Amino acid sequence: MENQIQIQVQKSEKSFTTTLLLCILVGSLGIHRFYAGKIGTGILQLITLGFLGLWTLIDLILIVTHKFTDKEGLIIQGN
């Protein structure tokens, strides 16, 4: 028998769908970052309007590819 190593990735309690919708609808205001608990970068994104959309686009790509994390570093991903 082969030894199988199982890696269990902890997922965030935050909803993937909610994070995605917040990023799409009000991403330039950083609301999805506030939702994820990233208050500091949320404020920075709010002040810079998502760095004129570029930061929001990067966050959107991270969310869709399941690489966006919450404040505890846990991946926000769908079920």
Side-chain angles (χ1 to χ4, degrees), residues 4-5 8 12 22 42 44 50-51 54-55 62-63 68 70 78:
Q4 293 182 351
I5 299 174
Q8 184 175 4
S12 174
L22 287 173
L44 191 57
F51 197 70
L54 181 61
W55 195 353
L62 289 173
I63 292 167
F68 192 76
D70 65 8

Side-chain angles (χ1 to χ4, degrees), residues 7-62:
I7 299 174
Q8 184 175 4
V9 178
Q10 290 184 331
K11 295 190 313 183
S12 174
E13 297 282 325
K14 302 296 181 182
S15 166
F16 170 79
T17 305
T18 302
T19 306
L20 180 63
L21 287 175
L22 287 173
C23 186
I24 291 170
L25 299 175
V26 286
S28 61
L29 300 177
I31 305 302
H32 61 287
R33 287 193 164 262
F34 287 107
Y35 174 73
K38 298 178 175 184
I39 307 301
T41 55
I43 292 171
L44 191 57
Q45 202 165 11
L46 178 66
I47 292 170
T48 63
L49 293 177
F51 197 70
L52 301 177
L54 181 61
W55 195 353
T56 306
L57 179 62
I58 292 169
D59 278 353
L60 182 62
I61 292 168
L62 289 173

